[in-house]
Amino acid sequence: MLYAEFMSTSLPPLPPPEEPMGEPELLEIGLAEEEPCLRADAARNRARLLEAAGRLVAEHGAAGVTMEAVAAAASVGKGTVFRRFGDRTGLLTALLDHSARQLQADLIGGPPPLGPGAPSVERLRAFGAAVLRRSAEQLDLQLAAQPEPARKLDHPTVRVLTSHVTYLLRDLVPDADCELQAQALMGFLDPAVVHHLHKRCGMSLDRLESGWIDLVARVTGTGRPA
Amino acid sequence: MLYAEFMSTSLPPLPPPEEPMGEPELLEIGLAEEEPCLRADAARNRARLLEAAGRLVAEHGAAGVTMEAVAAAASVGKGTVFRRFGDRTGLLTALLDHSARQLQADLIGGPPPLGPGAPSVERLRAFGAAVLRRSAEQLDLQLAAQPEPARKLDHPTVRVLTSHVTYLLRDLVPDADCELQAQALMGFLDPAVVHHLHKRCGMSLDRLESGWIDLVARVTGTGRPA
DNA sequence: CATTTAAACGGACCTCGGTCCGGATGGATC
DNA sequence: GATCCATCCGGACCGAGGTCCGTTTAAATG
C-alpha cells in the first residue's frame, strides 16, 4: 500500500473508512485546510491576529495570550478572533501550524532518515527525536494549545503523526495490532509527558531520546542500534 | 528494596529524593491525606457536597457538574465548595477517590495477580487490565477530572500508579531506564487514550486489553503469555 | 456605477471557574 | 455559662472564554 493511500484511508473520521481512494499528491492531509479564499479584510485581520498573538506569546508566554488581549493588540473586535479561529485552542494551534506543516513535509518528502529512503526502524527513531526536539522548543505553546483531553487525539495534526507511526509499524511488526502499539509510542511523545519528565523531573532531552530509541527497539523487537 | 520503601522514596517532589527513609505501613502514600479533623459543620457540608456532586454526575454527566450547581444542590455557598476542594478538579477527583484508594489497596495488599505474590510480569498485566476496566467504567468522570495537561502527571494518584509500574519494571528489566518505560506504558492507560480508542474508534475493551498484554510483552522482552 | 448579498465586523452579553472579605459559629478554655 | 479565636460560611465580585445579533462592507453582477 502506498504511503499516501495509507494516510488518506487511515485518517478520515472515526469509523475506519473503506473507500480505496485514488491518488497521492495530497501532502497536507491533516492540517486545517486553507480557508479557500478569504475576503480581503478577513485575510488582513487574520494576519494581524496571528502577528499579535505571536508577539504576546513572546512577551508573556502562552498563558498571557488572552482572547481579548489578542483582539485588542490586533485592533480588532473579539468576535473576529473567534470567527476566524473558532476558539483559543484554534488560535494557538494556528500559531503552531507552520512547524507542524514543516514536520509533516519532512516526514513525507524530506531527506532520510526522517523521510522515505531509510529503513522503517531508523525512520521511527528519527521521528521520535524530531518530535521530541520540536516539543521541547515550543513546550508552553504545545501545552496551552491542547484541547480538552476528550478531543486531543481527534485533532487532525495528531492523527497524521499517529498514522505515520502506524504505517511504519506495519512494516516492522506486521503481526501486531499496530494501531494500538502506535498509540502507545505516541503517548511517550505527548507534550504533557515531555513537560513532566524534562521540566518537572529534570531529565535531559538526551535521556528522553535514548528512552525513545529503547522503547522503539523493544516494541519492534529489533535490537538496539549499533 | 522493599516496596513501601521504594514507593516512598520514588514519590516525593520532582527532584529525585535521597533520604533512605524508615519504614512501611504507609499504605495510602499518594492520596489526598485526610483533612486531619474537620469542624462539625465543615464535615457535614463536605459530605453534602460530595453527595450532591455524585447526584449531578449521575443525572447530567460530568459536564453537568457546575460548581454553582453543586453548591446550590447542597444548599451551601459557592465559596464553601472551593474552600473544601480547591477547584473543580479537586471536587471531581474526590468523587473518584474511593475507587482510587481501592485500586491502590489492591495493588499493595490485594490478592494476586494484582497484589504481591504473583510474578511481576503477571502483576503488570493484571495492573493494565484493572486500570483499563476502571477507566472504562468512569470515563467521563476521569476525563473531566483531569487537571490542565502541564500538571496532570504531577498528581499524586497518577504518580503512585506510575511508581508501581516502575517498581515492577525494575524487577523485569533492571537494565532499562524504567522510569521512562513506565511512563510509556502508563501513556497507554491514560483516560484520554482509552476514550479515543474505545469510544471514538469503537475498539472493544478486550482489544485494548490484548494490546496492553502485547505491549507489556514487548517492553519487558518476555514472551506473550501462554 | 448602482445594486445586491454573502461574508465579516465589533462589542454587548452570558456563563462559569475562581477570589475575597465581612460576618457567623463551633468548640476549647477558664 | 461566658469568653475568645481559629475556622468556616456565603455571596458579591472579577476575569476569561464563548455566543449573538444588528451593522458594515467587499466584491460579484448587470
Side-chain angles (χ1 to χ4, degrees):
Chain A
M1 183 183 270
L2 293 174
Y3 182 80
E5 189 180 349
F6 169 80
M7 292 299 278
S8 60
T9 56
S10 74
L11 208 53
L14 328 171
E18 307 296 327
E19 4 177 310
M21 164 83 208
E23 266 314 290
E25 296 311 282
L26 43 151
L27 294 198
E28 295 161 356
I29 298 170
L31 283 189
E33 311 73 26
E34 296 294 344
E35 319 217 4
C37 60
L38 240 32
R39 230 171 66 171
D41 51 352
R44 174 179 48 84
N45 284 339
R46 186 185 142 91
R48 272 194 198 172
L49 284 166
L50 284 175
E51 187 269 342
R55 213 173 51 230
L56 286 181
V57 169
E59 286 170 10
H60 313 326
V65 180
T66 267
M67 298 305 262
E68 271 176 313
V70 174
S75 308
V76 141
K78 192 178 169 183
T80 301
V81 189
F82 283 93
R83 189 169 343 91
R84 195 55 50 204
F85 298 101
D87 58 12
R88 193 179 125 98
T89 287
L91 173 60
L92 266 6
T93 298
L95 243 25
L96 290 169
D97 183 77
H98 180 71
S99 109
R101 285 177 190 276
Q102 183 62 54
L103 176 59
Q104 277 186 45
D106 290 348
L107 294 181
I108 296 174
L114 206 50
S120 293
V121 182
E122 286 178 26
R123 291 187 73 187
L124 196 48
R125 287 191 205 114
F127 172 82
V131 172
L132 242 24
R133 272 194 300 276
R134 176 165 167 272
S135 285
E137 270 171 26
Q138 321 171 315
L139 245 195
D140 58 331
L141 206 45
Q142 296 267 13
L143 286 171
Q146 297 233 327
E148 52 173 319
R151 283 174 205 161
K152 76 174 172 174
L153 299 175
D154 293 342
H155 199 82
T157 301
V158 174
R159 297 184 65 193
V160 171
L161 300 185
T162 305
S163 294
H164 180 72
V165 172
T166 305
Y167 170 80
L168 294 175
L169 281 182
R170 280 218 214 291
D171 181 41
L172 292 164
V173 285
D175 291 341
D177 190 334
C178 295
E179 286 169 41
L180 296 191
Q181 302 304 315
Q183 206 61 250
L185 289 178
M186 286 297 292
F188 188 81
L189 304 177
D190 184 323
V193 172
V194 175
H195 175 264
H196 178 72
L197 297 176
H198 183 48
K199 298 288 203 227
R200 308 286 296 194
C201 300
M203 297 185 186
S204 71
L205 281 183
D206 282 353
R207 182 170 170 193
L208 296 193
E209 204 169 312
S210 297
W212 170 259
I213 302 292
D214 188 24
L215 181 61
V216 166
R218 293 174 184 279
V219 168
T220 63
T222 57
R224 303 282 317 252
Chain B
M1 183 183 270
L2 293 174
Y3 182 80
E5 189 180 352
F6 169 80
M7 292 298 279
S8 59
T9 56
S10 74
L11 206 55
L14 328 172
E18 305 297 326
E19 5 178 313
M21 163 84 208
E23 266 314 290
E25 297 309 284
L26 44 150
L27 294 198
E28 295 163 353
I29 298 172
L31 282 189
E33 310 74 23
E34 297 292 346
E35 318 218 4
C37 59
L38 240 33
R39 229 171 69 172
D41 50 352
R44 174 178 47 84
N45 284 340
R46 185 184 142 93
R48 273 194 197 173
L49 284 166
L50 283 176
E51 187 270 342
R55 213 174 49 230
L56 286 181
V57 169
E59 288 170 9
H60 309 111
V65 180
T66 264
M67 297 306 261
E68 271 176 313
V70 174
S75 308
V76 140
K78 189 178 172 184
T80 301
V81 190
F82 284 94
R83 190 170 340 93
R84 195 56 49 204
F85 298 101
D87 58 13
R88 194 177 124 99
T89 288
L91 173 60
L92 265 6
T93 299
L95 244 24
L96 290 169
D97 183 77
H98 181 71
S99 110
R101 285 176 189 277
Q102 183 62 53
L103 176 59
Q104 277 188 43
D106 289 348
L107 293 182
I108 296 174
L114 206 51
S120 293
V121 79
E122 284 177 29
R123 292 186 71 184
L124 197 49
R125 286 190 206 114
F127 172 82
V131 172
L132 243 24
R133 272 194 300 275
R134 175 165 167 273
S135 285
E137 271 171 27
Q138 320 170 317
L139 246 196
D140 58 332
L141 207 43
Q142 298 265 13
L143 286 172
Q146 296 231 329
E148 51 172 320
R151 284 175 203 159
K152 76 175 171 174
L153 299 175
D154 292 341
H155 199 81
T157 302
V158 174
R159 298 184 66 195
V160 171
L161 299 185
T162 305
S163 293
H164 180 73
V165 172
T166 306
Y167 170 80
L168 293 176
L169 280 182
R170 279 216 214 292
D171 182 40
L172 292 164
V173 285
D175 291 339
D177 190 334
C178 296
E179 286 170 41
L180 296 191
Q181 302 305 314
Q183 206 61 248
L185 289 179
M186 286 298 292
F188 188 80
L189 303 177
D190 184 323
V193 172
V194 175
H195 175 263
H196 178 73
L197 296 176
H198 183 49
K199 299 289 203 226
R200 308 286 296 195
C201 299
M203 298 186 185
S204 70
L205 282 182
D206 282 353
R207 182 170 170 194
L208 296 193
E209 205 169 311
S210 297
W212 170 259
I213 302 292
D214 189 24
L215 181 60
V216 166
R218 292 173 185 279
V219 168
T220 63
T222 58
R224 304 282 316 251

